[in-house]
Amino acid sequence: MGPRRQEPHGDTVTSVDFSTTFSNAWFPTPVFTASGCASSGKELAQFFPLKDIGAVVTKSIMNKARLGRATPRMAETPSGMLNSIGLQGPGIDTFIEKDIPWLVEQKARIIVSIAGETIEEYSTLARKLRSVSGISAIEVNISCPNVENRGLVFACDPETSRKVIDGVRRTIGGELPIIAKLSPDVTDIVSIARGVVDAGADGIALINTVLGMVINLSTMRPHLGGKTGGLSGPAIRPIAVRAIYQVHAAIPNIPILGMGGVASGRDAFEMILAGASAVSVGTASFGNPMAIPYIQDELKTLLEEKGFKQMKDAIGYAHRIDEVHE
Ligand code: SIN
């Protein structure tokens, strides 16, 4: 049977239960924004109601306001994009005062992404967010590639990533789910994932961008002001699918927020089959601000075509096929 639903935002006529959960947080659909690609959602709200998608994952916020790295901060690459933003943002106090109430007004489900330069900064952010209402979960970004000191990419070290999550968990208490965002730039992503789960993470976000570089052939120097940047877009999707598959195989009960080059419902479906409980869409929204609702609709149609009554039954399905063939 062909797709029965063509228009985004049309009335839902499929019977697939599209909902997903991360610990005690419930989301009506498994398609979220990706942190950093739509700030706190205002740009995208011009194109569709934010309440119609699974969740808005906000740009990683730090304790103090920050201007980010020197320009140029973006470069196009084949099948991808390199960014070197450097965690620009208004700082947590302004964010709590202005962005959260606006998102609550939109009836969006909110996942707040936090980033810090020290383990203590993450705990400070958690303390400030602890009593803020309207938040569904916290994404702890320990994997931003655009920091001056590569030693500050906490997710590249099992011990420091564990310490960050442990600090946030202790500060925030047991209620709010914590999703740890990991870097693909490691030898063994499963060991990092196990460490953050042991430290109290309820979910894993996979993957942050891949460290890359572009040389400008006119100047014969690195193109980006920060020299290196994070590669996103379709070029990195197979890396993301591999990471999701490996982590789901090792820790099947931990929900994964998959991301990295999702540009269609098929891409989202692939990540869910690999083990993602939800997917985030980032780079695709730059080319098409309606990408998320379109991806949502395509995914729902695909699930229906494949005979799934609920999205949850498709999570990690690729592993079950392995079992049959082995
Ligand atoms: C940035 O602002 O530099 C990107 C953040 C990230 O990839 O974690």
Side-chain angles (χ1 to χ4, degrees):
M1 186 194 292
R4 284 192 275 147
R5 186 179 179 201
Q6 302 295 338
E7 294 300 318
H9 303 306
D11 288 341
T12 303
V13 288
T14 58
S15 55
V16 180
D17 174 359
F18 217 21
S19 65
T20 193
T21 50
F22 280 73
S23 182
N24 61 12
W26 179 90
F27 303 92
T29 94
V31 187
F32 302 176
T33 65
S35 170
C37 299
S39 192
S40 291
K42 286 207 172 100
E43 295 93 337
L44 290 181
Q46 303 166 47
F47 298 94
F48 58 87
L50 296 178
K51 66 177 170 49
D52 286 0
I53 65 172
V56 173
V57 185
T58 59
K59 166 86 183 153
S60 299
I61 194 82
M62 300 187 76
N63 195 32
K64 298 229 167 75
R66 195 172 152 108
L67 290 174
R69 281 179 139 182
T71 56
R73 306 205 289 195
M74 305 262 252
E76 278 195 52
T77 69
S79 301
M81 188 192 86
L82 211 55
N83 91 77
S84 168
I85 307 301
L87 296 166
Q88 180 179 351
I92 189 73
D93 296 333
T94 305
F95 173 81
I96 290 173
E97 189 195 329
K98 300 209 164 123
D99 296 77
I100 298 275
W102 182 83
L103 281 164
V104 168
E105 226 170 79
Q106 308 306 305
K107 299 191 170 47
R109 284 150 297 273
I110 310 165
I111 299 180
V112 175
S113 182
I114 58 171
E117 281 182 337
T118 59
I119 292 167
E120 293 70 38
E121 184 172 355
Y122 283 95
S123 297
T124 303
L125 291 160
R127 195 172 56 252
K128 291 189 176 182
L129 286 165
R130 193 169 47 191
S131 52
V132 177
S133 55
I135 300 173
S136 296
I138 305 278
E139 179 192 84
V140 185
N141 180 1
I142 49 175
S143 50
C144 175
N146 300 322
V147 289
E148 297 299 327
N149 175 359
R150 285 293 293 167
L152 289 179
V153 183
F154 298 103
C156 291
D157 181 83
E159 190 53 24
T160 48
S161 25
R162 206 192 53 71
K163 280 186 179 154
V164 171
I165 300 302
D166 182 59
V168 172
R169 177 87 280 162
R170 283 171 196 278
T171 313
I172 211 131
E175 279 301 295
L176 213 48
I178 295 174
I179 303 170
K181 186 169 187 178
L182 303 189
S183 169
D185 293 333
V186 292
T187 311
D188 180 10
I189 195 137
V190 169
S191 64
I192 309 274
R194 281 193 204 280
V196 294
V197 168
D198 287 348
D202 305 285
I204 310 278
L206 293 168
I207 55 175
N208 207 321
T209 53
V210 179
L211 192 69
M213 182 185 258
V214 165
I215 305 280
N216 180 323
L217 298 189
S218 304
T219 62
M220 298 184 286
R221 299 282 189 283
H223 170 76
L224 295 171
K227 294 195 174 66
T228 55
L231 183 64
S232 61
I236 69 165
R237 200 173 61 247
I239 301 174
V241 172
R242 180 267 301 167
I244 294 164
Y245 190 94
Q246 287 178 325
V247 172
H248 184 76
I251 333 175
N253 295 331
I254 286 295
I256 295 172
L257 177 55
M259 70 201 73
V262 173
S264 68
R266 293 174 66 85
D267 301 339
F269 189 44
E270 187 184 7
M271 286 196 179
I272 289 167
L273 294 174
S277 291
V279 297
S280 273
V281 178
T283 308
S285 295
F286 291 125
N288 175 11
M290 285 295 287
I292 296 178
Y294 275 112
I295 289 168
Q296 225 168 232
D297 280 6
E298 270 179 28
L299 174 62
K300 200 165 198 177
T301 300
L302 261 172
L303 287 164
E304 190 192 32
E305 282 174 355
K306 293 289 185 191
F308 289 103
K309 292 271 182 293
Q310 41 179 9
M311 190 285 295
K312 282 183 182 163
D313 294 339
I315 298 171
Y317 194 86
H319 298 259
R320 277 174 261 166
I321 304 268
D322 276 352
E323 283 162 25
V324 170
H325 289 293
E326 272 168 14

